[in-house]
Amino acid sequence: MKKKMYSKELKNDLLINKIFSLIIVLLVGSVIGVLLDKALNKPKECEKCMVENVTSIYDIEPIVKEYTTINKNKVYLYNTNEILINDISLKEYINNYKNIDDLFNSLEDNIEEDKKLQDGGTTIYKTKTDSKFNKDLTIIKCNTTEGNKDLYFGEYLNTEIAFLNGACGKKMIQDAEFQKNYVIKEINKLEDNLYELLIVDPENSKSVTLTRKISEESIKNLYEGKLHTFVFTNKYKELIKNDIEEIFESTTLKGVALYKEN
């Protein structure tokens, strides 16, 4: 066979055409690649957004059920149906102990204290990573001044929500700053700028006596027998009872003003 002979100019034209064809193929491939990448990754990004923004059902409506008792004190399960420890049910385990102190002494290798509240001694525990429990738990051991000694064992247990919903037998206050409306029943001057105020909660007639130095300008804005708005700061967001005595004892009084209706 004879080889086909091409002129130099024709060879150059063929080479240029091949280069242009290759560039076009590469450009088209890049565009298609970008479009496919966006199409494939878009659902993943949306799925991620949905996961980050979803609210747990337990944050909306915690599931609390009375589980058993120990020495006449109630034990509740929070957001779980059953708990195992040492491969037996928590109820069976609790039944081996006569009182709460003995029970918690037996659990000391499985739990660690997370926080203690200023409500008489309520303590919050977390299970250790190597505990004999079959789940990661938060445990509330109630010990209030009113004598509540209930126990709460729970998964996904938001303690602030639990206390606000009535855990340990009462609703609590957690705001960093809040207001309460009380009546200043009496104002007695003890010495220069030192006054004694008798403050009464009109809802239940409970009262506290506050002794404080007050400037002449400020004392003119306080009135006996009238309702005033008291502003308190709760620096550490401690959970406290909605009680006039505990509020004045556990928080800082920031200011007082004559009550005005909105």
PDB file of all heavy atoms in Angstrom, residues 93-123:
ATOM      1  N   TYR A  93     -32.869  -3.522  90.865  1.00  0.00           N
ATOM      2  CA  TYR A  93     -31.674  -3.040  91.554  1.00  0.00           C
ATOM      3  C   TYR A  93     -32.053  -2.195  92.774  1.00  0.00           C
ATOM      4  O   TYR A  93     -31.516  -2.376  93.875  1.00  0.00           O
ATOM      5  CB  TYR A  93     -30.812  -2.230  90.585  1.00  0.00           C
ATOM      6  CG  TYR A  93     -29.464  -1.837  91.138  1.00  0.00           C
ATOM      7  CD1 TYR A  93     -28.371  -2.688  91.008  1.00  0.00           C
ATOM      8  CD2 TYR A  93     -29.288  -0.624  91.799  1.00  0.00           C
ATOM      9  CE1 TYR A  93     -27.129  -2.332  91.528  1.00  0.00           C
ATOM     10  CE2 TYR A  93     -28.061  -0.259  92.313  1.00  0.00           C
ATOM     11  CZ  TYR A  93     -26.981  -1.115  92.187  1.00  0.00           C
ATOM     12  OH  TYR A  93     -25.752  -0.765  92.707  1.00  0.00           O
ATOM     13  N   ILE A  94     -33.016  -1.277  92.579  1.00  0.00           N
ATOM     14  CA  ILE A  94     -33.443  -0.396  93.676  1.00  0.00           C
ATOM     15  C   ILE A  94     -34.060  -1.196  94.810  1.00  0.00           C
ATOM     16  O   ILE A  94     -33.873  -0.868  95.993  1.00  0.00           O
ATOM     17  CB  ILE A  94     -34.437   0.658  93.139  1.00  0.00           C
ATOM     18  CG1 ILE A  94     -33.696   1.690  92.273  1.00  0.00           C
ATOM     19  CG2 ILE A  94     -35.172   1.364  94.282  1.00  0.00           C
ATOM     20  CD1 ILE A  94     -34.605   2.685  91.583  1.00  0.00           C
ATOM     21  N   ASN A  95     -34.779  -2.264  94.483  1.00  0.00           N
ATOM     22  CA  ASN A  95     -35.440  -3.070  95.506  1.00  0.00           C
ATOM     23  C   ASN A  95     -34.465  -3.744  96.478  1.00  0.00           C
ATOM     24  O   ASN A  95     -34.881  -4.247  97.522  1.00  0.00           O
ATOM     25  CB  ASN A  95     -36.320  -4.134  94.857  1.00  0.00           C
ATOM     26  CG  ASN A  95     -37.573  -3.527  94.235  1.00  0.00           C
ATOM     27  OD1 ASN A  95     -37.982  -2.421  94.575  1.00  0.00           O
ATOM     28  ND2 ASN A  95     -38.175  -4.244  93.293  1.00  0.00           N
ATOM     29  N   ASN A  96     -33.193  -3.747  96.145  1.00  0.00           N
ATOM     30  CA  ASN A  96     -32.183  -4.336  97.033  1.00  0.00           C
ATOM     31  C   ASN A  96     -31.748  -3.392  98.145  1.00  0.00           C
ATOM     32  O   ASN A  96     -30.976  -3.786  99.028  1.00  0.00           O
ATOM     33  CB  ASN A  96     -30.941  -4.747  96.228  1.00  0.00           C
ATOM     34  CG  ASN A  96     -31.225  -5.902  95.290  1.00  0.00           C
ATOM     35  OD1 ASN A  96     -31.947  -6.823  95.639  1.00  0.00           O
ATOM     36  ND2 ASN A  96     -30.666  -5.840  94.087  1.00  0.00           N
ATOM     37  N   TYR A  97     -32.255  -2.141  98.116  1.00  0.00           N
ATOM     38  CA  TYR A  97     -31.791  -1.141  99.085  1.00  0.00           C
ATOM     39  C   TYR A  97     -32.968  -0.549  99.859  1.00  0.00           C
ATOM     40  O   TYR A  97     -34.055  -0.355  99.314  1.00  0.00           O
ATOM     41  CB  TYR A  97     -30.997  -0.047  98.363  1.00  0.00           C
ATOM     42  CG  TYR A  97     -29.768  -0.613  97.684  1.00  0.00           C
ATOM     43  CD1 TYR A  97     -29.829  -1.021  96.347  1.00  0.00           C
ATOM     44  CD2 TYR A  97     -28.588  -0.798  98.376  1.00  0.00           C
ATOM     45  CE1 TYR A  97     -28.726  -1.586  95.726  1.00  0.00           C
ATOM     46  CE2 TYR A  97     -27.475  -1.353  97.760  1.00  0.00           C
ATOM     47  CZ  TYR A  97     -27.546  -1.744  96.446  1.00  0.00           C
ATOM     48  OH  TYR A  97     -26.453  -2.320  95.838  1.00  0.00           O
ATOM     49  N   LYS A  98     -32.725  -0.268 101.135  1.00  0.00           N
ATOM     50  CA  LYS A  98     -33.785   0.210 102.022  1.00  0.00           C
ATOM     51  C   LYS A  98     -33.977   1.712 101.967  1.00  0.00           C
ATOM     52  O   LYS A  98     -35.050   2.220 102.283  1.00  0.00           O
ATOM     53  CB  LYS A  98     -33.483  -0.218 103.460  1.00  0.00           C
ATOM     54  CG  LYS A  98     -33.525  -1.728 103.672  1.00  0.00           C
ATOM     55  CD  LYS A  98     -33.241  -2.067 105.121  1.00  0.00           C
ATOM     56  CE  LYS A  98     -33.300  -3.580 105.355  1.00  0.00           C
ATOM     57  NZ  LYS A  98     -33.010  -3.933 106.775  1.00  0.00           N
ATOM     58  N   ASN A  99     -32.931   2.458 101.611  1.00  0.00           N
ATOM     59  CA  ASN A  99     -33.056   3.917 101.579  1.00  0.00           C
ATOM     60  C   ASN A  99     -32.184   4.503 100.471  1.00  0.00           C
ATOM     61  O   ASN A  99     -31.348   3.813  99.869  1.00  0.00           O
ATOM     62  CB  ASN A  99     -32.690   4.537 102.939  1.00  0.00           C
ATOM     63  CG  ASN A  99     -31.283   4.159 103.378  1.00  0.00           C
ATOM     64  OD1 ASN A  99     -30.310   4.497 102.704  1.00  0.00           O
ATOM     65  ND2 ASN A  99     -31.175   3.443 104.499  1.00  0.00           N
ATOM     66  N   ILE A 100     -32.386   5.783 100.214  1.00  0.00           N
ATOM     67  CA  ILE A 100     -31.711   6.450  99.097  1.00  0.00           C
ATOM     68  C   ILE A 100     -30.207   6.547  99.315  1.00  0.00           C
ATOM     69  O   ILE A 100     -29.420   6.382  98.372  1.00  0.00           O
ATOM     70  CB  ILE A 100     -32.329   7.850  98.887  1.00  0.00           C
ATOM     71  CG1 ILE A 100     -33.772   7.712  98.379  1.00  0.00           C
ATOM     72  CG2 ILE A 100     -31.505   8.673  97.907  1.00  0.00           C
ATOM     73  CD1 ILE A 100     -34.531   9.014  98.288  1.00  0.00           C
ATOM     74  N   ASP A 101     -29.784   6.801 100.548  1.00  0.00           N
ATOM     75  CA  ASP A 101     -28.344   6.906 100.822  1.00  0.00           C
ATOM     76  C   ASP A 101     -27.623   5.605 100.487  1.00  0.00           C
ATOM     77  O   ASP A 101     -26.546   5.622  99.867  1.00  0.00           O
ATOM     78  CB  ASP A 101     -28.107   7.298 102.280  1.00  0.00           C
ATOM     79  CG  ASP A 101     -28.507   8.739 102.565  1.00  0.00           C
ATOM     80  OD1 ASP A 101     -28.538   9.538 101.601  1.00  0.00           O
ATOM     81  OD2 ASP A 101     -28.791   9.062 103.725  1.00  0.00           O
ATOM     82  N   ASP A 102     -28.207   4.486 100.898  1.00  0.00           N
ATOM     83  CA  ASP A 102     -27.592   3.185 100.587  1.00  0.00           C
ATOM     84  C   ASP A 102     -27.550   2.953  99.080  1.00  0.00           C
ATOM     85  O   ASP A 102     -26.565   2.432  98.546  1.00  0.00           O
ATOM     86  CB  ASP A 102     -28.361   2.049 101.269  1.00  0.00           C
ATOM     87  CG  ASP A 102     -28.158   2.032 102.783  1.00  0.00           C
ATOM     88  OD1 ASP A 102     -27.211   2.701 103.247  1.00  0.00           O
ATOM     89  OD2 ASP A 102     -28.950   1.368 103.475  1.00  0.00           O
ATOM     90  N   LEU A 103     -28.632   3.338  98.393  1.00  0.00           N
ATOM     91  CA  LEU A 103     -28.680   3.173  96.943  1.00  0.00           C
ATOM     92  C   LEU A 103     -27.557   3.952  96.267  1.00  0.00           C
ATOM     93  O   LEU A 103     -26.825   3.413  95.430  1.00  0.00           O
ATOM     94  CB  LEU A 103     -30.039   3.647  96.412  1.00  0.00           C
ATOM     95  CG  LEU A 103     -30.179   3.743  94.890  1.00  0.00           C
ATOM     96  CD1 LEU A 103     -30.027   2.372  94.243  1.00  0.00           C
ATOM     97  CD2 LEU A 103     -31.510   4.382  94.511  1.00  0.00           C
ATOM     98  N   PHE A 104     -27.391   5.206  96.653  1.00  0.00           N
ATOM     99  CA  PHE A 104     -26.380   6.040  95.993  1.00  0.00           C
ATOM    100  C   PHE A 104     -24.962   5.667  96.405  1.00  0.00           C
ATOM    101  O   PHE A 104     -24.023   5.852  95.617  1.00  0.00           O
ATOM    102  CB  PHE A 104     -26.671   7.523  96.234  1.00  0.00           C
ATOM    103  CG  PHE A 104     -27.640   8.091  95.227  1.00  0.00           C
ATOM    104  CD1 PHE A 104     -28.997   7.861  95.351  1.00  0.00           C
ATOM    105  CD2 PHE A 104     -27.191   8.817  94.143  1.00  0.00           C
ATOM    106  CE1 PHE A 104     -29.893   8.352  94.414  1.00  0.00           C
ATOM    107  CE2 PHE A 104     -28.065   9.310  93.197  1.00  0.00           C
ATOM    108  CZ  PHE A 104     -29.423   9.074  93.333  1.00  0.00           C
ATOM    109  N   ASN A 105     -24.804   5.137  97.589  1.00  0.00           N
ATOM    110  CA  ASN A 105     -23.487   4.619  97.973  1.00  0.00           C
ATOM    111  C   ASN A 105     -23.079   3.463  97.058  1.00  0.00           C
ATOM    112  O   ASN A 105     -21.914   3.315  96.684  1.00  0.00           O
ATOM    113  CB  ASN A 105     -23.491   4.152  99.425  1.00  0.00           C
ATOM    114  CG  ASN A 105     -23.491   5.314 100.405  1.00  0.00           C
ATOM    115  OD1 ASN A 105     -23.089   6.428 100.058  1.00  0.00           O
ATOM    116  ND2 ASN A 105     -23.967   5.075 101.614  1.00  0.00           N
ATOM    117  N   SER A 106     -24.075   2.662  96.652  1.00  0.00           N
ATOM    118  CA  SER A 106     -23.790   1.530  95.772  1.00  0.00           C
ATOM    119  C   SER A 106     -23.501   1.981  94.337  1.00  0.00           C
ATOM    120  O   SER A 106     -22.902   1.231  93.554  1.00  0.00           O
ATOM    121  CB  SER A 106     -24.971   0.548  95.769  1.00  0.00           C
ATOM    122  OG  SER A 106     -26.049   1.045  94.996  1.00  0.00           O
ATOM    123  N   LEU A 107     -23.942   3.198  93.990  1.00  0.00           N
ATOM    124  CA  LEU A 107     -23.777   3.698  92.624  1.00  0.00           C
ATOM    125  C   LEU A 107     -22.561   4.601  92.456  1.00  0.00           C
ATOM    126  O   LEU A 107     -22.296   5.081  91.349  1.00  0.00           O
ATOM    127  CB  LEU A 107     -25.028   4.485  92.205  1.00  0.00           C
ATOM    128  CG  LEU A 107     -26.332   3.708  92.064  1.00  0.00           C
ATOM    129  CD1 LEU A 107     -27.486   4.665  91.765  1.00  0.00           C
ATOM    130  CD2 LEU A 107     -26.228   2.658  90.970  1.00  0.00           C
ATOM    131  N   GLU A 108     -21.792   4.820  93.517  1.00  0.00           N
ATOM    132  CA  GLU A 108     -20.740   5.839  93.468  1.00  0.00           C
ATOM    133  C   GLU A 108     -19.677   5.569  92.406  1.00  0.00           C
ATOM    134  O   GLU A 108     -19.049   6.515  91.897  1.00  0.00           O
ATOM    135  CB  GLU A 108     -20.085   5.995  94.834  1.00  0.00           C
ATOM    136  CG  GLU A 108     -19.389   4.770  95.352  1.00  0.00           C
ATOM    137  CD  GLU A 108     -18.780   4.992  96.729  1.00  0.00           C
ATOM    138  OE1 GLU A 108     -19.031   6.052  97.344  1.00  0.00           O
ATOM    139  OE2 GLU A 108     -18.045   4.114  97.184  1.00  0.00           O
ATOM    140  N   ASP A 109     -19.465   4.317  92.032  1.00  0.00           N
ATOM    141  CA  ASP A 109     -18.481   4.006  90.981  1.00  0.00           C
ATOM    142  C   ASP A 109     -19.039   4.207  89.579  1.00  0.00           C
ATOM    143  O   ASP A 109     -18.294   4.161  88.597  1.00  0.00           O
ATOM    144  CB  ASP A 109     -17.988   2.560  91.118  1.00  0.00           C
ATOM    145  CG  ASP A 109     -17.161   2.348  92.377  1.00  0.00           C
ATOM    146  OD1 ASP A 109     -16.557   3.329  92.851  1.00  0.00           O
ATOM    147  OD2 ASP A 109     -17.137   1.217  92.885  1.00  0.00           O
ATOM    148  N   ASN A 110     -20.348   4.438  89.486  1.00  0.00           N
ATOM    149  CA  ASN A 110     -21.003   4.560  88.179  1.00  0.00           C
ATOM    150  C   ASN A 110     -21.444   5.981  87.846  1.00  0.00           C
ATOM    151  O   ASN A 110     -21.767   6.256  86.689  1.00  0.00           O
ATOM    152  CB  ASN A 110     -22.243   3.657  88.140  1.00  0.00           C
ATOM    153  CG  ASN A 110     -21.885   2.192  88.233  1.00  0.00           C
ATOM    154  OD1 ASN A 110     -21.489   1.578  87.254  1.00  0.00           O
ATOM    155  ND2 ASN A 110     -22.009   1.618  89.431  1.00  0.00           N
ATOM    156  N   ILE A 111     -21.477   6.857  88.843  1.00  0.00           N
ATOM    157  CA  ILE A 111     -21.971   8.216  88.626  1.00  0.00           C
ATOM    158  C   ILE A 111     -20.997   9.235  89.199  1.00  0.00           C
ATOM    159  O   ILE A 111     -20.161   8.916  90.049  1.00  0.00           O
ATOM    160  CB  ILE A 111     -23.368   8.419  89.259  1.00  0.00           C
ATOM    161  CG1 ILE A 111     -23.317   8.183  90.775  1.00  0.00           C
ATOM    162  CG2 ILE A 111     -24.391   7.494  88.602  1.00  0.00           C
ATOM    163  CD1 ILE A 111     -24.641   8.440  91.486  1.00  0.00           C
ATOM    164  N   GLU A 112     -21.124  10.471  88.723  1.00  0.00           N
ATOM    165  CA  GLU A 112     -20.315  11.563  89.272  1.00  0.00           C
ATOM    166  C   GLU A 112     -21.183  12.807  89.415  1.00  0.00           C
ATOM    167  O   GLU A 112     -22.073  13.054  88.599  1.00  0.00           O
ATOM    168  CB  GLU A 112     -19.105  11.838  88.394  1.00  0.00           C
ATOM    169  CG  GLU A 112     -19.413  12.116  86.942  1.00  0.00           C
ATOM    170  CD  GLU A 112     -18.159  12.144  86.089  1.00  0.00           C
ATOM    171  OE1 GLU A 112     -17.067  11.970  86.651  1.00  0.00           O
ATOM    172  OE2 GLU A 112     -18.290  12.326  84.867  1.00  0.00           O
ATOM    173  N   GLU A 113     -20.930  13.575  90.460  1.00  0.00           N
ATOM    174  CA  GLU A 113     -21.728  14.767  90.727  1.00  0.00           C
ATOM    175  C   GLU A 113     -21.457  15.834  89.679  1.00  0.00           C
ATOM    176  O   GLU A 113     -20.315  16.134  89.362  1.00  0.00           O
ATOM    177  CB  GLU A 113     -21.414  15.305  92.124  1.00  0.00           C
ATOM    178  CG  GLU A 113     -22.284  16.479  92.540  1.00  0.00           C
ATOM    179  CD  GLU A 113     -22.003  16.946  93.965  1.00  0.00           C
ATOM    180  OE1 GLU A 113     -21.912  16.086  94.866  1.00  0.00           O
ATOM    181  OE2 GLU A 113     -21.863  18.174  94.162  1.00  0.00           O
ATOM    182  N   ASP A 114     -22.537  16.404  89.155  1.00  0.00           N
ATOM    183  CA  ASP A 114     -22.424  17.453  88.142  1.00  0.00           C
ATOM    184  C   ASP A 114     -22.710  18.830  88.736  1.00  0.00           C
ATOM    185  O   ASP A 114     -22.033  19.795  88.429  1.00  0.00           O
ATOM    186  CB  ASP A 114     -23.406  17.159  87.002  1.00  0.00           C
ATOM    187  CG  ASP A 114     -23.309  18.166  85.871  1.00  0.00           C
ATOM    188  OD1 ASP A 114     -22.186  18.395  85.391  1.00  0.00           O
ATOM    189  OD2 ASP A 114     -24.344  18.723  85.460  1.00  0.00           O
ATOM    190  N   LYS A 115     -23.722  18.905  89.618  1.00  0.00           N
ATOM    191  CA  LYS A 115     -24.089  20.190  90.196  1.00  0.00           C
ATOM    192  C   LYS A 115     -24.935  19.988  91.440  1.00  0.00           C
ATOM    193  O   LYS A 115     -25.699  19.030  91.522  1.00  0.00           O
ATOM    194  CB  LYS A 115     -24.872  21.027  89.179  1.00  0.00           C
ATOM    195  CG  LYS A 115     -25.145  22.466  89.629  1.00  0.00           C
ATOM    196  CD  LYS A 115     -25.831  23.254  88.527  1.00  0.00           C
ATOM    197  CE  LYS A 115     -26.023  24.704  88.960  1.00  0.00           C
ATOM    198  NZ  LYS A 115     -26.731  25.505  87.924  1.00  0.00           N
ATOM    199  N   LYS A 116     -24.784  20.909  92.396  1.00  0.00           N
ATOM    200  CA  LYS A 116     -25.615  20.872  93.605  1.00  0.00           C
ATOM    201  C   LYS A 116     -26.356  22.199  93.700  1.00  0.00           C
ATOM    202  O   LYS A 116     -25.752  23.268  93.584  1.00  0.00           O
ATOM    203  CB  LYS A 116     -24.750  20.641  94.845  1.00  0.00           C
ATOM    204  CG  LYS A 116     -25.539  20.192  96.062  1.00  0.00           C
ATOM    205  CD  LYS A 116     -24.621  19.543  97.084  1.00  0.00           C
ATOM    206  CE  LYS A 116     -25.435  18.848  98.161  1.00  0.00           C
ATOM    207  NZ  LYS A 116     -24.566  18.069  99.076  1.00  0.00           N
ATOM    208  N   LEU A 117     -27.655  22.131  93.924  1.00  0.00           N
ATOM    209  CA  LEU A 117     -28.478  23.334  93.962  1.00  0.00           C
ATOM    210  C   LEU A 117     -28.629  23.864  95.385  1.00  0.00           C
ATOM    211  O   LEU A 117     -28.503  23.124  96.355  1.00  0.00           O
ATOM    212  CB  LEU A 117     -29.866  23.049  93.379  1.00  0.00           C
ATOM    213  CG  LEU A 117     -29.904  22.457  91.972  1.00  0.00           C
ATOM    214  CD1 LEU A 117     -31.344  22.358  91.496  1.00  0.00           C
ATOM    215  CD2 LEU A 117     -29.091  23.283  91.012  1.00  0.00           C
ATOM    216  N   GLN A 118     -28.929  25.158  95.457  1.00  0.00           N
ATOM    217  CA  GLN A 118     -29.103  25.812  96.749  1.00  0.00           C
ATOM    218  C   GLN A 118     -30.572  25.800  97.161  1.00  0.00           C
ATOM    219  O   GLN A 118     -31.156  26.812  97.517  1.00  0.00           O
ATOM    220  CB  GLN A 118     -28.577  27.252  96.676  1.00  0.00           C
ATOM    221  CG  GLN A 118     -27.094  27.331  96.357  1.00  0.00           C
ATOM    222  CD  GLN A 118     -26.614  28.760  96.187  1.00  0.00           C
ATOM    223  OE1 GLN A 118     -27.378  29.711  96.326  1.00  0.00           O
ATOM    224  NE2 GLN A 118     -25.350  28.918  95.877  1.00  0.00           N
ATOM    225  N   ASP A 119     -31.184  24.642  97.107  1.00  0.00           N
ATOM    226  CA  ASP A 119     -32.599  24.530  97.459  1.00  0.00           C
ATOM    227  C   ASP A 119     -32.802  23.567  98.621  1.00  0.00           C
ATOM    228  O   ASP A 119     -33.904  23.111  98.877  1.00  0.00           O
ATOM    229  CB  ASP A 119     -33.407  24.059  96.245  1.00  0.00           C
ATOM    230  CG  ASP A 119     -33.057  22.643  95.823  1.00  0.00           C
ATOM    231  OD1 ASP A 119     -31.979  22.165  96.219  1.00  0.00           O
ATOM    232  OD2 ASP A 119     -33.856  22.023  95.104  1.00  0.00           O
ATOM    233  N   GLY A 120     -31.707  23.265  99.298  1.00  0.00           N
ATOM    234  CA  GLY A 120     -31.756  22.308 100.396  1.00  0.00           C
ATOM    235  C   GLY A 120     -30.775  21.165 100.173  1.00  0.00           C
ATOM    236  O   GLY A 120     -30.432  20.441 101.095  1.00  0.00           O
ATOM    237  N   GLY A 121     -30.310  21.017  98.918  1.00  0.00           N
ATOM    238  CA  GLY A 121     -29.322  19.986  98.652  1.00  0.00           C
ATOM    239  C   GLY A 121     -29.609  19.101  97.459  1.00  0.00           C
ATOM    240  O   GLY A 121     -29.002  18.039  97.307  1.00  0.00           O
ATOM    241  N   THR A 122     -30.528  19.499  96.577  1.00  0.00           N
ATOM    242  CA  THR A 122     -30.788  18.722  95.364  1.00  0.00           C
ATOM    243  C   THR A 122     -29.484  18.597  94.565  1.00  0.00           C
ATOM    244  O   THR A 122     -28.786  19.579  94.342  1.00  0.00           O
ATOM    245  CB  THR A 122     -31.865  19.390  94.500  1.00  0.00           C
ATOM    246  OG1 THR A 122     -33.110  19.366  95.216  1.00  0.00           O
ATOM    247  CG2 THR A 122     -32.045  18.679  93.176  1.00  0.00           C
ATOM    248  N   THR A 123     -29.186  17.368  94.118  1.00  0.00           N
ATOM    249  CA  THR A 123     -27.929  17.104  93.419  1.00  0.00           C
ATOM    250  C   THR A 123     -28.204  16.486  92.058  1.00  0.00           C
ATOM    251  O   THR A 123     -29.083  15.631  91.922  1.00  0.00           O
ATOM    252  CB  THR A 123     -27.036  16.150  94.241  1.00  0.00           C
ATOM    253  OG1 THR A 123     -26.908  16.659  95.572  1.00  0.00           O
ATOM    254  CG2 THR A 123     -25.648  16.031  93.623  1.00  0.00           C
TER     255      THR A 123
END
